[in-house]
Amino acid sequence: MQADSPLLDRQTEFLLHWAMEAVPVPIMIVDATATFRCWNRACERMLGIGAEHVLRRSIEEREGFNVHALWLDYLRWVFYDDRKSIQAHFENAQPVKSVPGAWQATIQLPCGDDIRDVELYAAPIRNGSGEFLGVFQTIRDLRERKKLIDQLLHAQKMETLGTLVAGVAHEINNPVNLLLYNIPLFEKLWQDVLPVLAGRVLPGETHRYAGLPVAFLQENMPALLSDMKFAVERIARIVSGLKSYSRFGDPSEKKPFSLNEAVENALRLAQTTIRGRRIVSRVELADDLPPLVGSLHSIEQVVLNLIVNAVQAIDHSQGRIDIRTDVRSDGYMVLTVADNGKGIDPSIAPRIFDPFVTDKQDKGGTGLGLSVSYNIVRAHGGTVRFRSQPSAGTMFQVLFPVGERKPIRRILVVDDDPLIRDLLSDVLISNRSCTVEEAASGIEACIRLGAFHPDLLVIDLFMPEMNGLEVCRIIRNDPEFRELRILVITGHSSHASLDEIRRMQRTDVLFKPFDIQEFLKKVDKILSE
Ligand SMILES: Nc1ncnc2c1ncn2[C@@H]1O[C@H](COP(=O)(O)OP(=O)(O)OP(=O)(O)O)[C@@H](O)[C@H]1O
Ligand SMILES: [Mg+2]
């Protein structure tokens, strides 16, 4: 991009340049000599054509600037107002009423190796006396908008389906209840009637009722009735599950309920999804959970979403899903759903709780499951977090504060060995209420300190480039980090640098090898001081 008009002072020119480069919308400006004067970075990205091929070249110059004929035609049209020759291409072009001379058209444009539906907007640039200086133009990719509209329609369909399911479940409920009450009555009746029927049969005679011999009925009828009872109970369970699933979580509902009950109900609903797949599910529910207050049905929905996601993520035949509830000593009640599936795609992991983020478009996924779940959990005063590794699995945790709420601690883990870094982070996240960030070197640690402001820094002593001691020195000399606690981890118990570290304030050392409990105890002790 260039904006070197003598009309602009250098500072304005710089600001304009910066703004054009920073804006994520493709913008181009062609001047009155039909020469490109601006081709911002978003333009380069979208069209796959570097600014160096375009700037200061006339739109007629094709050499080195591989642009589609339509594109040139379009510019000619906007530029010379040569509408007739290209009208065929831009049947849908519309003047923009609010801006004199501006046009908007939806066209197909070559973007790199792709042809995309885009919306072009072009407006003439004129100076104060109305003199024509050039054309300002933006391009809008319509794919995202189309995708959002499709997803919205799909979500609306799902909502309608939810209402339908609720209606059907309600209708089935009454007949199912009828069966549920009457089958036990029949069982009792059968016990009373059986001796009467048997007494009517004379020795040596084979009397039949409903075509079946009395001896057969005597032997099999109790089992038939109990199978019927079992089947009806199953229908009742499914209906009750569907009813609670389709009912949208009412934040005004504030009744005490057990997290375990929500898990059990969700598990029942999930059985149809789990069954038939080679997945072993292990459930460990703590029996001393305090009650949660809110909507049981909404929390069921959260658990169900997590379980279904876990099932869908398992793409091999040795699937495992662990579901656990417990109360931790730090005052949080935790639900954990962990799987050994394919892991969350790193490209979507940062947006996982946003609506419509999904990798299951082709399988009917809406990408709403986690966003709805997140909102429900937040409405109950809790939070959701996850940890995932490609090809290894994912662990989601839902945390609800119980009793006294303790502040969530921030911990920065620094180690050049990714295995140790991940292990320590995992252990902290799974066992303590804390937010963890990681850094792979001393330099990265220093960069993150300012933005993350941790309460505790867990740092390896020996790392290439900048080691743990150097980082500690920087921190202890910076008043901004006076309160920051440091835990230095090292396998060398008698290294010279340890003396210096031991003399530092609020700095502890833990020697490798250590076991995880020892590590957690040390972290707790440091943070409670
Ligand atoms: N346990 C998991 N393992 C791997 N990826 C997961 C897991 N849970 C969620 N994801 C990823 O997060 C995305 C969003 O999940 P979310 O539940 O919000 O929507 P969805 O499952 O795609 O659609 P829907 O819930 O409407 O069926 C999923 O598409 C998937 O890519
Ligand atoms: Mg889902």
Side-chain angles (χ1 to χ4, degrees):
M1 129 110 216
Q2 282 191 5
D4 52 0
S5 157
L7 293 172
L8 303 174
D9 63 41
R10 283 194 62 76
Q11 197 180 7
T12 314
E13 189 183 315
F14 172 78
L15 287 175
L16 192 61
H17 174 86
W18 189 89
M20 288 292 182
E21 291 304 289
V23 75
V25 180
I27 293 176
M28 58 192 71
I29 295 173
V30 186
D31 72 13
T33 65
T35 302
F36 283 98
R37 301 297 293 266
C38 164
W39 184 271
N40 72 351
R41 210 162 281 170
C43 240
E44 292 187 321
R45 274 198 301 271
M46 183 175 206
L47 299 171
I49 301 167
E52 69 278 13
H53 297 299
V54 185
L55 290 178
R56 304 202 161 275
R57 284 171 190 257
S58 149
I59 56 169
E60 303 294 346
E61 271 182 79
R62 279 163 180 258
E63 240 181 344
F65 173 28
N66 181 21
V67 71
H68 196 279
L70 264 181
W71 181 229
L72 278 175
D73 284 347
Y74 174 73
L75 282 174
R76 223 179 272 128
W77 172 44
V78 177
F79 211 72
Y80 302 119
D81 208 8
D82 176 16
R83 292 179 207 177
K84 275 207 186 96
S85 63
I86 52 158
Q87 229 160 13
H89 297 312
F90 300 107
E91 277 166 0
N92 63 13
Q94 294 289 338
V96 177
K97 288 201 185 96
S98 53
V99 185
W103 286 87
Q104 201 164 294
T106 309
I107 64 159
Q108 288 202 313
L109 194 69
C111 299
D113 300 331
D114 214 9
I115 303 271
R116 290 191 204 165
D117 288 326
V118 300
E119 186 181 79
L120 292 180
Y121 168 83
I125 307 170
R126 298 183 190 280
N127 65 13
S129 41
E131 187 191 347
F132 179 73
L133 299 181
V135 177
F136 169 89
Q137 186 166 310
T138 63
I139 309 172
R140 189 148 74 106
D141 191 339
L142 295 179
R143 284 184 316 177
E144 283 302 309
R145 195 175 68 163
K146 186 170 176 312
K147 215 161 83 187
L148 276 176
I149 291 173
D150 287 350
Q151 282 170 335
L152 199 65
L153 288 175
H154 189 61
Q156 279 168 347
K157 258 195 262 169
M158 300 307 281
E159 203 185 314
T160 315
L161 195 67
T163 316
L164 194 76
V165 163
V168 172
H170 185 75
E171 287 301 315
I172 298 175
N173 211 22
N174 288 341
V176 167
N177 277 334
L178 189 93
L179 291 170
L180 216 53
Y181 295 135
N182 288 343
I183 290 175
L185 187 71
F186 258 99
E187 278 182 322
K188 283 202 193 98
L189 188 71
W190 173 250
Q191 280 159 16
D192 293 345
V193 165
L194 186 63
V196 180
L197 293 183
R200 289 184 58 188
V201 182
L202 297 174
E205 220 183 48
T206 333
H207 197 80
R208 289 170 183 265
Y209 293 98
L212 298 169
V214 170
F216 177 87
L217 289 174
Q218 269 175 320
E219 193 179 331
N220 294 298
M221 200 62 177
L224 285 177
L225 283 168
S226 105
D227 284 356
M228 275 167 71
K229 198 164 82 180
F230 184 75
V232 172
E233 280 167 357
R234 189 166 138 65
I235 296 174
R237 272 201 307 275
I238 294 172
V239 169
S240 116
L242 286 176
K243 266 168 57 190
S244 38
Y245 179 67
S246 50
R247 198 181 307 156
F248 192 72
D250 176 6
S252 62
E253 206 177 329
K254 276 200 165 36
K255 289 187 194 140
F257 67 92
S258 143
L259 176 61
N260 286 352
E261 190 185 343
V263 173
E264 279 160 358
N265 291 352
L267 266 168
R268 254 200 316 270
L269 276 170
Q271 278 316 309
T272 36
T273 314
I274 298 177
R275 201 175 303 128
R277 311 193 44 160
R278 294 207 183 129
I279 294 175
V280 178
S281 54
R282 208 176 59 184
V283 184
E284 276 176 44
L285 303 181
D287 46 19
D288 54 349
L289 295 185
L292 268 174
V293 177
S295 158
L296 166 69
H297 305 299
S298 306
I299 298 298
E300 266 169 28
Q301 188 176 343
V302 171
V303 186
L304 182 63
N305 280 332
L306 294 179
I307 298 174
V308 171
N309 278 349
V311 172
Q312 290 171 339
I314 292 172
D315 53 0
H316 51 80
S317 57
Q318 260 123 40
R320 240 189 70 180
I321 298 179
D322 290 330
I323 301 163
R324 217 171 51 234
T325 57
D326 54 296
V327 183
R328 294 194 325 211
S329 54
D330 58 5
Y332 280 85
M333 174 155 51
V334 187
L335 162 73
T336 307
V337 179
D339 65 69
N340 64 347
K342 62 183 174 166
I344 297 176
D345 182 341
S347 68
I348 62 166
R351 295 176 290 126
I352 199 96
F353 296 116
D354 290 354
F356 305 126
V357 172
T358 179
D359 65 357
K360 303 171 200 162
Q361 295 93 341
D362 49 338
K363 296 179 200 117
T366 62
L368 284 172
L370 283 178
S371 62
V372 170
S373 301
Y374 187 78
N375 289 342
I376 292 174
V377 173
R378 297 293 293 179
H380 285 76
T383 188
V384 187
R385 59 196 189 192
F386 68 92
R387 185 107 197 139
S388 185
Q389 234 187 332
S391 312
T394 303
M395 179 185 75
F396 273 90
Q397 285 196 316
V398 181
L399 290 99
F400 297 102
V402 285
E404 219 172 86
R405 186 196 284 251
K406 293 201 177 165
I408 291 191
R409 304 300 201 141
R410 305 158 81 84
I411 303 179
L412 180 61
V413 175
V414 189
D415 201 308
D416 58 322
D417 181 338
L419 287 178
I420 298 195
R421 214 166 56 226
D422 281 354
L423 172 76
L424 296 181
S425 304
D426 275 346
V427 162
L428 286 167
I429 288 178
S430 325
N431 296 281
R432 296 293 179 268
S433 61
C434 55
T435 310
V436 177
E437 281 206 4
E438 295 178 12
S441 69
I443 295 173
E444 200 187 332
C446 290
I447 294 170
R448 289 195 176 222
L449 278 174
F452 183 50
H453 277 287
D455 300 298
L456 171 66
L457 173 76
V458 177
I459 187 163
D460 185 27
L461 186 54
F462 295 104
M463 291 181 292
E465 289 176 18
M466 182 189 270
N467 66 31
L469 175 63
E470 289 169 277
V471 177
C472 290
R473 280 184 191 143
I474 291 173
I475 291 172
R476 294 288 80 122
N477 285 323
D478 187 336
E480 192 187 340
F481 299 112
R482 188 172 298 132
E483 293 306 316
L484 174 61
R485 316 283 160 131
I486 304 176
L487 176 59
V488 175
I489 288 175
T490 177
H492 301 260
S493 54
S494 57
H495 196 272
S497 53
L498 283 172
D499 295 336
E500 185 178 341
I501 286 175
R502 282 204 183 93
R503 283 195 300 275
M504 290 178 178
Q505 300 273 305
R506 286 174 288 279
T507 306
D508 285 65
V509 181
L510 184 63
F511 293 105
K512 294 189 227 176
F514 50 78
D515 77 28
I516 291 307
Q517 289 313 322
E518 196 183 343
F519 169 68
L520 286 172
K521 247 172 146 175
K522 188 92 180 170
V523 168
D524 285 346
K525 183 169 170 290
I526 294 172
L527 287 175
S528 65
E529 276 164 4

